[in-house]
Amino acid sequence: MADRGADRSLEHSFPATPEELQGSRDCLRENLQAWGEDDRIVQDVVLAVDEACQNVIRHAYAGDPDGRIQLRVERRDGEIEVWLRDWAESSDPRCLERGRDLDDVRPGGLGTHFIRELMDVAEFVEPPDGRGNLLRMLKRT
Amino acid sequence: MRQSVREELGSVIVRFVGEIDLEHSPEARRTLLDSIGRAPGGVVVDLEAVSYIDSSGIASLVEAFQAARKRGTRFGLAVVHPQVLRVLELSRLDKVFPIHATVEEGLGA
């Protein structure tokens, strides 16, 4: 999670539980607003990060309340880069490719679709020590 | 998230306040499904004070909408916050749910 010339950055670490999501959204939202990002950019990044955190909580940690999530956000001219780290079992990187047919109206399965729609890049990369998962997302601003 | 449920002339108005996310969507889902069972005139979901919704909240609305349709009960959303409307649009559900400008309009639909 290298800081490649970021003029602003945020690092936030929190337990991987549903109860922590509101606080993590508030933290991210407040920082993006303080950095002067447009409302639409703030909304898009907050929703995409929230959905990615949900995937970690529900699927990677499978509800294990002892898991942790580490969020790092770096702002550069023209882009916001997000790194989301967990220490769960490795995720199948193909899970980001699976969308669902939106004409099939049914509950569930929308989170990955939101991430792909809202961010310009979403990809799993190799974590520094090979443990867990590291999701990189990029939003061009 | 907070919620209130009131009845008017056989219809049920469910009002949510705050953010409907992974923590709160199970409660929202239960409230909506309970309301459908006792609302012969239909259910209107007042979203004026909901500033954020995620995929789990959308899933709760979809499940309630489908349960209502199965029973032949009217189900609509009212006073949808622009940010919530954007999430509905992303899901292409803005064309599926009846969306009303006011709760009163939803009751009269």
Side-chain angles (χ1 to χ4, degrees):
Chain A
M1 290 195 270
D3 181 347
R4 296 181 295 105
D7 56 20
R8 299 277 194 284
S9 69
L10 161 71
E11 197 155 312
H12 181 52
S13 177
F14 53 97
T17 63
E19 295 76 17
E20 294 290 330
L21 289 174
Q22 169 109 47
S24 75
R25 286 197 304 273
D26 290 346
C27 175
L28 178 57
R29 192 180 288 131
E30 286 163 11
N31 277 274
L32 292 172
Q33 287 169 341
W35 297 349
E37 299 299 340
D38 292 345
D39 287 348
R40 173 59 68 90
I41 297 291
V42 174
Q43 290 166 17
D44 288 358
V45 173
V46 167
L47 180 56
V49 170
D50 194 37
E51 296 291 348
C53 290
Q54 289 187 40
N55 284 343
V56 172
I57 293 169
R58 298 168 74 171
H59 304 302
Y61 285 122
D64 176 3
D66 296 328
R68 288 195 74 79
I69 294 174
Q70 186 180 53
L71 170 68
R72 181 170 176 84
V73 185
E74 299 174 358
R75 176 189 181 274
R76 276 173 226 98
D77 189 23
E79 67 181 35
I80 295 170
E81 191 168 27
V82 177
W83 303 86
L84 198 72
R85 176 81 199 268
D86 68 66
W87 288 266
E89 294 293 313
S90 294
S91 294
D92 179 356
R94 289 171 301 180
C95 67
L96 282 174
E97 297 163 14
R98 291 184 209 121
R100 78 160 170 84
D101 181 1
L102 295 182
D103 293 328
D104 174 19
V105 178
R106 61 174 169 80
L110 284 170
T112 300
H113 168 73
F114 288 168
I115 293 170
R116 291 168 55 200
E117 285 286 308
L118 296 168
M119 304 301 273
D120 295 291
V121 175
E123 59 182 3
F124 282 106
V125 297
E126 184 68 20
D129 56 4
R131 294 170 53 221
N133 302 284
L134 180 57
L135 176 65
R136 172 181 175 263
M137 296 187 283
L138 188 76
K139 177 77 173 176
R140 297 193 178 92
T141 57
Chain B
M1 184 199 77
R2 300 193 308 278
Q3 61 182 34
S4 61
V5 179
R6 70 179 202 272
E7 295 186 32
E8 277 187 31
L9 304 171
S11 295
V12 171
I13 300 122
V14 181
R15 179 178 168 82
F16 294 113
V17 176
E19 303 193 352
I20 306 179
D21 67 356
L22 185 63
E23 180 185 4
H24 297 107
S25 56
E27 183 187 355
R29 172 184 173 275
R30 276 194 302 275
T31 301
L32 291 170
L33 292 176
D34 285 351
S35 299
I36 290 162
R38 56 191 176 88
V43 173
V44 178
V45 186
D46 179 353
L47 293 172
E48 181 180 18
V50 174
S51 56
Y52 179 86
I53 193 165
D54 68 3
S55 62
S56 70
I58 294 289
S60 299
L61 293 176
V62 170
E63 191 175 347
F65 173 71
Q66 290 181 327
R69 198 159 56 176
K70 201 172 284 182
R71 294 175 69 108
T73 302
R74 287 187 304 112
F75 183 93
L77 313 180
V79 213
V80 180
H81 191 284
Q83 194 170 334
V84 173
L85 185 61
R86 171 151 162 77
V87 181
L88 290 170
E89 289 168 350
L90 277 174
S91 326
R92 290 197 216 147
L93 291 168
D94 55 314
K95 303 284 186 279
V96 174
F97 288 114
I99 297 178
H100 309 288
T102 63
V103 170
E104 290 68 30
E105 184 184 296
L107 291 172

